[in-house]
């Protein structure tokens, strides 16, 4: 019997080695990049456009823009760190609570497993051995409950720092693009025109890439991203002109 089971396990492992699935698994990293780049492109772009609309010199626009990029990167990175840290803390709290429930009310927890499997149309005669097997392995039981009852995946302990770093770097990269013309053109009015072209092109490319990795409508995503960025900068530019003329 044991030999037959070992052969079955070897057969399963062989099949898994032969079959490679190409699933996209970097979702959280992509989310951080999207968050950083989208804000990095939009906020400094709107700030530069607003200051240019107020007839500020290119040096003032550049100084204010770089200061904003630095402050924004720190703020966004810190926000990403705290969000990931809160997620990890929440997981640990639920893990301890679930562990206590397995010890205190094992029959109730076992009944929850049975109910979850029954929801998939599995008959008692089939899920009964699964429930019993999990009850004999407390750690596997705990992992099963965390994933399938609570829908929580164990977080990477390095996730908080990685998230902070990824968002901050993405924000800096995105933020320097609309400011780059002010580094080479000594007229704010000329620089803002170049900034518009560069930023809109970057927004279109970024929006397409975002759509490609997150859904099946990259062109729609490119248009929406560019529209949001253009609207923000146009509003800032227009408000600056109104304030200046009043």
């Amino acid at each position: 019997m044991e030999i037959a089971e070992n052969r079955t396990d070897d057969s399963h492992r062989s099949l898994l080695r032969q079959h490679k699935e190409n699933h996209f698994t970097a979702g959280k990293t992509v989310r951080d990049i999207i968050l950083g780049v989208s804000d990095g492109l939009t906020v400094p772009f709107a700030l530069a456009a607003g200051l240019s609309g107020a007839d500020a010199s290119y040096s003032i626009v550049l100084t204010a823009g770089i200061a904003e990029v630095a402050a924004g990167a720190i703020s966004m990175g810190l926000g990403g760190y705290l969000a990931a840290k809160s997620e990890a803390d929440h997981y640990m709290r639920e893990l301890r609570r679930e562990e206590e429930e397995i010890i205190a009310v094992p029959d109730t927890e076992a009944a929850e497993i049975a109910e979850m499997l029954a929801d998939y149309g599995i008959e008692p005669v089939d899920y009964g051995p699964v429930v019993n097997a999990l009850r004999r392995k407390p750690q596997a039981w705990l992992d099963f409950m965390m994933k399938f009852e609570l829908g929580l995946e164990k977080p990477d302990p390095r996730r908080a720092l990685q998230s902070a770093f990824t968002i901050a770097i993405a924000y800096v990269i995105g933020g320097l693009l609309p400011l780059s013309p002010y580094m080479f053109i000594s007229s704010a009015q000329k620089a803002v025109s170049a900034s518009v072209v560069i930023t809109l092109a970057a927004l279109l490319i970024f929006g397409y890439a975002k759509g490609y990795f997150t859904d099946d409508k990259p062109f729609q995503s490119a248009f929406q991203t560019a529209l949001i960025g253009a609207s923000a900068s146009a509003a800032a530019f227009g408000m600056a002109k109104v304030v200046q003329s009043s």
Side-chain angles (χ1 to χ4, degrees):
M1 182 68 176
E2 185 176 346
I3 295 175
E5 289 179 352
N6 289 336
R7 287 177 177 173
T8 301
D9 290 340
D10 291 340
S11 176
H12 289 167
R13 281 192 288 268
S14 177
L15 287 172
L16 290 174
R17 282 194 297 268
Q18 295 172 18
H19 177 65
K20 300 296 183 182
E21 296 186 355
N22 297 317
H23 292 298
F24 184 70
T25 58
K28 290 185 178 180
T29 300
V30 170
R31 182 191 65 188
D32 289 341
I33 293 173
I34 289 173
L35 185 63
V37 173
S38 60
D39 277 16
L41 281 171
T42 304
V43 178
F45 181 35
L47 174 65
L51 290 174
S52 299
D55 291 333
S57 66
Y58 81 96
S59 60
I60 291 177
V61 176
L62 184 58
T63 301
I66 291 176
E68 196 287 324
V69 169
I74 294 171
S75 176
M76 293 286 290
L78 180 60
Y81 175 85
L82 293 175
K85 187 69 167 57
S86 297
E87 182 180 342
D89 291 343
H90 172 65
Y91 180 89
M92 293 307 300
R93 283 194 303 271
E94 293 300 324
L95 181 69
R96 288 192 293 269
R97 184 178 302 168
E98 195 64 37
E99 192 172 21
E100 291 171 358
E101 290 177 353
I102 287 175
I103 295 172
V105 286
D107 291 339
T108 301
E109 293 298 296
E112 290 178 354
I113 297 177
E115 184 178 12
M116 282 187 283
L117 295 175
D119 287 340
Y120 286 95
I122 301 174
E123 298 297 329
V125 67
D126 296 317
Y127 66 63
V130 176
V131 175
N132 293 331
L134 286 172
R135 294 191 67 162
R136 291 193 298 269
K137 298 180 179 180
Q139 186 58 52
W141 188 359
L142 180 60
D143 293 340
F144 182 93
M145 299 303 286
M146 291 298 294
K147 183 172 183 179
F148 294 101
E149 181 191 18
L150 302 179
L152 297 176
E153 295 281 355
K154 184 177 182 180
D156 186 338
R158 300 169 298 177
R159 170 67 188 153
L161 287 177
Q162 288 175 345
S163 179
F165 182 77
T166 302
I167 293 175
I169 293 300
Y171 191 94
V172 170
I173 293 172
L176 289 178
L177 283 174
L179 295 177
S180 58
Y182 296 90
M183 300 177 185
F184 305 102
I185 302 174
S186 58
S187 169
Q189 299 306 315
K190 293 179 180 179
V192 71
S193 299
S195 179
V196 168
V197 174
I198 291 173
T199 307
L200 286 179
L203 285 168
L204 285 169
I205 295 171
F206 169 70
Y208 182 91
K210 180 178 68 172
Y212 179 82
F213 284 111
T214 58
D215 58 41
D216 58 353
K217 299 178 181 178
F219 287 103
Q220 181 177 330
S221 175
F223 175 76
Q224 290 175 343
T225 304
L227 180 62
I228 291 171
S231 299
S233 60
F237 187 88
M239 285 188 288
K241 283 295 187 182
V242 171
V243 172
Q244 184 186 27
S245 62
S246 60

